[in-house]
Amino acid sequence: MARFLSTTDDFLCVATPGAGKTRFALAAARELMRSGDISQIIVVAPTAHLRNQWASAASSHAGIELDSSFANGTGAVARDFDGVVVTYASVASAPHLYRRMATVKPTMVILDEVHHGGDEKAWGTALRDSFEHATRRLLLSGTPFRSDGAAIPFLRYDESRRCVADYSYDYGAALADRQGVVRPIAFPAFDGEARWLDASLVESKQKLSDVDAATRARALMSALMPDGPWISSVLNTANEELSRQRELVPDAGGLVVAADQNKAVRYASLLEQITGEKPTVAISDIPDASHQISAFSRSTSRWIVAVAMVSEGVDIPRLAVGVYATNTSTEMFFRQVAGRFVRTRGEEDETCATLFIPSVQPLLGYAAEIERMIPLALKEAEIKAAEEVADGSGTTQLEINIVQPLAPSEAVHLKTILSGDEFSEAELKHADEVARQAGMPATLTAPQVARLLRIAGAGRTLATTTATVEVPQQALVDQKKAARKLLKTRINYLARLTNEPHSYINNGLNQRFGGIVPTADLDGLKKRVVAVEEMIREAKK
């Protein structure tokens, strides 16, 4: 905020999903309105759903009223609004209207996910024509680069054609801060044998982990076939992980990102067969898709399936499990999808998110480096984009047209990636057993425990063994905090099973063990957890 208010130049804020870009922008706008520097706000967002999200956040967090249903044909903003939220497409279709709106009174323009300004060449020109004379311009993005290498309006570039951010706050920094900004995210990578026929009707087959750039698209087409065993087994495994998460967080939700609308609908049908519950489908062919996303974010239902509508900007903090079921392999899109799962619900949220991915490069590389610094990612992404444009390797449409995918094998877990470390199936099973024996909090996932064990082993990979493993000792205050949190989640679960009030269960525990939870010692807390687990087992009989 201090940097933004100290200048009148264009200001690019690059920050991880969940860091609070929207709140920062609205607080900045409110400050400029209070000082009299501006009297109107125009927010430009990529989608209609984000228009509603911006207007709601502006009203609730900043007391700013924005018209999210403004239409170009209206011509003027109603007097009781402080401004409007529109899409990039709307601006591109009426640049003269927005040029007049932005100059008739002092105006702050907020360009959300500003990289969309280069979606079409005409869009960039329209943005410049519309807002070049605005009083202030604030540019927001988590991924301010484009796979096609196109320049983005109002951004500054250095001599290497890398965009220059005025402020950066990446996922790795947010995770290290431990201030309830973002969650850790694990990436279970699933292998399997893909099969396809080429133009000469010759059958090819290859493991996903062995494909290269030339065969990646063909292999993924096979793996992602909705009626094939690979995606079915991955969805089953992902749903099992979601069930585990929902024992701790009852409204935890899952997202499947599909390659196209047809696959999205068919994946939803598969999930309905697996869960017995109809998933939400958010695709552009559904007229009220934006309302469907909003309804899902407020509900407790299990799954939502989308193509790109939930890939960026959409705020659904209860998302905890995802399936990357698309053949899009750009770093920008991968980071945007991963960003849907890293938002926390506050400092008490200890969820480790899980995103299931195919075991292909470059996805494995992106997963391993998800916590690296944004400037490095920007530089490498722009260089790669320029190279792809130069040699034409950025498109696979011809290949898709002449290849017939065949049914693949079932998916096989290859490894799980967390914080750049890779963990085998054997390590994860061992970590599960150690966590159970040590009575570690149920909020810790197997990859998190495996990482702790590696630290305890001075960086050595620990093989599956029955030997006793020393787990790093936490401070007493942290152990008690984890025990109280675990006790609370298990009491919540027991209350749902038995329909008994939380107070009734707690009073029973107080009578049995004496005292109350806030004053109980660590041993007393552990005894309460064991007692609740016994009651849960009885309730399930």
Side-chain angles (χ1 to χ4, degrees), residues 153-385:
F154 305 120
L155 265 60
R156 301 192 313 279
Y157 292 85
D158 62 18
E159 64 278 2
S160 301
R161 293 298 298 157
R162 181 179 61 176
C163 69
V164 179
D166 296 279
Y167 184 81
S168 293
Y169 185 71
D170 69 2
Y171 173 71
L175 195 61
D177 275 353
R178 293 184 173 276
Q179 297 296 320
V181 180
V182 294
R183 303 167 175 153
I185 182 169
F187 299 91
F190 278 75
D191 206 353
E193 188 175 75
R195 300 168 55 238
W196 64 89
L197 292 177
D198 61 22
S200 58
L201 300 183
V202 174
E203 180 178 337
S204 298
K205 54 186 179 181
Q206 197 171 12
K207 291 174 65 176
L208 291 177
S209 55
D210 293 335
V211 302
D212 56 20
T215 57
R216 180 177 63 233
R218 304 172 189 179
L220 285 175
M221 285 174 62
S222 170
L224 299 176
M225 290 174 61
D227 54 355
W230 190 91
I231 190 63
S232 178
S233 51
V234 170
L235 291 176
N236 268 289
T237 305
N239 188 62
E240 290 172 3
E241 171 61 18
L242 181 59
S243 293
R244 189 194 72 79
Q245 295 268 18
R246 286 170 73 93
E247 282 196 19
L248 304 169
V249 184
D251 67 342
L255 164 67
V256 178
V257 179
D260 57 54
Q261 299 194 34
N262 175 59
K263 287 187 175 67
V265 172
R266 294 172 71 183
Y267 291 162
S269 178
L270 275 173
L271 284 169
E272 186 173 3
Q273 294 174 30
I274 293 168
T275 66
E277 177 183 309
K278 192 176 184 65
T280 298
V281 180
I283 56 178
S284 57
D285 276 1
I286 296 178
D288 62 343
S290 178
H291 296 295
Q292 297 273 16
I293 295 171
S294 296
F296 178 83
S297 68
R298 297 189 300 268
S299 74
T300 60
S301 56
R302 296 177 73 91
W303 286 98
I304 182 170
V305 186
V307 177
M309 292 189 70
V310 192
S311 65
E312 61 179 326
V314 176
D315 187 5
I316 310 176
R318 71 185 189 90
L319 286 178
V321 177
V323 178
Y324 194 89
T326 172
N327 51 12
T328 302
S329 57
T330 63
E331 181 170 11
M332 181 177 73
F333 190 79
F334 184 85
R335 282 177 170 264
Q336 288 169 349
V337 172
R340 297 316 98 212
F341 304 93
V342 301
R343 297 172 184 267
T344 68
R345 304 167 93 168
E347 293 188 20
E348 296 300 312
D349 182 359
E350 297 181 5
T351 304
C352 178
T354 306
L355 178 58
F356 292 81
I357 63 174
S359 60
V360 299
Q361 292 291 1
L363 301 185
L364 294 173
Y366 299 156
E369 298 177 340
I370 197 73
E371 294 172 25
R372 65 179 174 166
M373 292 297 291
I374 281 178
L376 175 62
L378 299 187
K379 183 174 184 179
E380 293 184 2
E382 291 192 353
I383 290 173
K384 181 179 177 182

Side-chain angles (χ1 to χ4, degrees), residues 4 29 65-66 138-139 148 177 206 241 266 294 338 360 417 439 486 526:
F4 174 76
E65 301 300 332
L66 300 177
L138 175 58
L139 323 174
D148 57 10
D177 275 353
Q206 197 171 12
E241 171 61 18
R266 294 172 71 183
S294 296
V360 299
I417 299 170
L486 176 57
K526 288 182 177 179

